[in-house]
């Protein structure tokens, strides 16, 4: 499930898209203008923004430009919607850093496919896709984790943490990045909370032989290593 913010001033379009996204299993918020969108993003960073170009007041393109200039929202996936279809506008939309671009009128099926493609590329942990790294298999739809030795029982936070680490194997994540992506960046929690949950995760994996896949990277954070590359020290 992805958290998606729709920025659209035409209620009929916003509601239609929202209905379809909810049907697809996503959590949807709607903002009717730039200020409302900005407040919504400040309160909670969405996994993706569907952004209309033509809005009352500040246009979508300007909002996209501001988000791209801000460290917190720089990576936030943006799909732009617009009634304009001239090539120069498409170029401008992509220039400010929109991840994709769709001209109105659009088919809902195409919009949903484009959104899924952007999420797969930029926020794969928000999709209910099963992941496997080495001998570990994780299925978000059933909330199950499977190791060769059997099922692994995890608490909800450890499950989300493992899922995030498995989605980006080999990548080093700082504690603050893990807090943002696993706990949500609107939540204020101490960084050492991450250490507590990493320990619980390693404990839960102890009997599977997979605990050493979760590596501490000194001074940087944590990484899930593929088994062939996992260090013996863990
Ligand atoms: Ca509009």
């Amino acid at each position: 499930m992805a958290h998606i913010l729709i920025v659209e001033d035409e209620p009929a379009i916003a509601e239609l898209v929202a209905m379809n996204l909810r049907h697809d299993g996503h959590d949807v918020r709607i903002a009717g203008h730039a200020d409302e969108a900005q407040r919504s993003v400040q309160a909670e960073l969405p996994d993706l923004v569907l952004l209309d170009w033509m809005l009352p007041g500040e246009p979508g393109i300007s909002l996209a430009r501001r988000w791209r200039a801000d460290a917190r929202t720089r990576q936030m996936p943006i799909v732009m919607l617009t009634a304009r279809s001239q090539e120069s506008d498409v170029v401008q939309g992509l220039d400010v850093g929109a991840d994709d671009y769709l001209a109105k009128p659009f088919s809902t099926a195409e919009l949903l496919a484009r959104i899924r493609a952007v999420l797969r590329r930029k926020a794969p942990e928000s999709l209910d896709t099963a992941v496997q790294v080495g001998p570990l298999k994780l299925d978000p739809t059933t909330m199950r984790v499977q190791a060769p030795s059997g099922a692994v029982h995890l608490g909800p936070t450890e499950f989300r943490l493992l899922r995030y680490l498995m989605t980006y194997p080999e990548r080093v994540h700082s504690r603050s990045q893990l807090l943002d992506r696993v706990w949500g960046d609107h939540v204020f929690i101490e960084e050492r909370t991450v250490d507590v949950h990493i320990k619980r995760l390693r404990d839960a994996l102890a009997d599977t032989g997979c605990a050493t896949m979760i590596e501490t990277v000194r001074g940087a954070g944590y990484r899930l290593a593929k088994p062939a590359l996992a260090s013996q020290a863990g």
Side-chain angles (χ1 to χ4, degrees):
M1 178 192 71
H3 297 281
I4 297 177
L5 172 65
I6 300 173
V7 189
E8 167 63 77
D9 59 308
E10 288 160 79
I13 295 179
E15 281 305 329
L16 175 70
V17 173
M19 194 183 73
N20 281 284
L21 287 172
R22 288 187 182 118
H23 187 258
D24 244 18
H26 300 299
D27 174 62
V28 182
R29 285 177 289 158
I30 296 173
H33 52 79
D35 288 347
E36 200 182 347
Q38 185 59 33
R39 277 198 301 276
S40 181
V41 164
Q42 259 158 12
E44 185 175 357
L45 199 62
D47 294 310
L48 183 142
V49 181
L50 187 63
L51 178 60
D52 190 25
W53 185 308
M54 299 295 281
L55 295 169
E58 184 178 3
I61 190 98
S62 149
L63 198 50
R65 198 173 285 124
R66 279 205 284 142
W67 282 336
R68 283 297 177 254
D70 181 343
R72 181 167 170 263
T73 47
R74 188 163 294 145
Q75 300 294 329
M76 183 173 72
I78 299 174
V79 175
M80 288 212 70
L81 280 183
T82 181
R84 310 169 174 212
S85 52
Q86 289 94 341
E87 195 171 65
S88 64
D89 293 333
V90 177
V91 170
Q92 208 187 335
L94 296 173
D95 265 359
V96 299
D99 296 282
D100 203 353
Y101 185 98
L102 203 57
K104 292 177 182 175
F106 52 84
S107 90
T108 313
E110 182 177 7
L111 176 65
L112 295 179
R114 298 276 194 104
I115 287 175
R116 270 194 297 271
V118 171
L119 286 172
R120 253 199 309 277
R121 188 152 48 87
K122 292 194 76 180
E125 74 281 3
S126 68
L127 296 171
D128 287 336
T129 317
V131 275
Q132 175 164 10
V133 178
L136 273 185
K137 293 178 193 166
L138 179 147
D139 186 346
T141 55
T142 57
M143 295 280 284
R144 290 216 163 108
V145 178
Q146 201 68 35
S149 56
V152 183
H153 300 286
L154 299 174
T157 304
E158 285 72 49
F159 183 88
R160 288 202 310 276
L161 185 56
L162 180 62
R163 181 182 179 185
Y164 188 74
L165 292 170
M166 286 178 72
T167 304
Y168 301 100
E170 298 301 322
R171 201 187 283 184
V172 179
H173 310 276
S174 70
R175 288 168 180 80
S176 91
Q177 282 166 347
L178 288 171
L179 280 177
D180 281 359
R181 300 307 301 168
V182 176
W183 278 261
D185 86 329
H186 58 302
V187 184
F188 295 93
I189 300 177
E190 285 183 59
E191 292 197 353
R192 54 175 223 82
T193 304
V194 175
D195 305 333
V196 171
H197 289 276
I198 287 280
K199 181 179 184 309
R200 284 189 198 157
L201 184 53
R202 282 178 174 146
D203 289 347
L205 291 171
D207 294 337
T208 68
C210 297
T212 56
M213 287 168 70
I214 297 168
E215 298 183 342
T216 304
V217 182
R218 196 176 291 274
Y222 295 103
R223 156 174 69 203
L224 184 105
K226 291 178 183 166
L229 305 167
S231 74
Q232 293 304 308

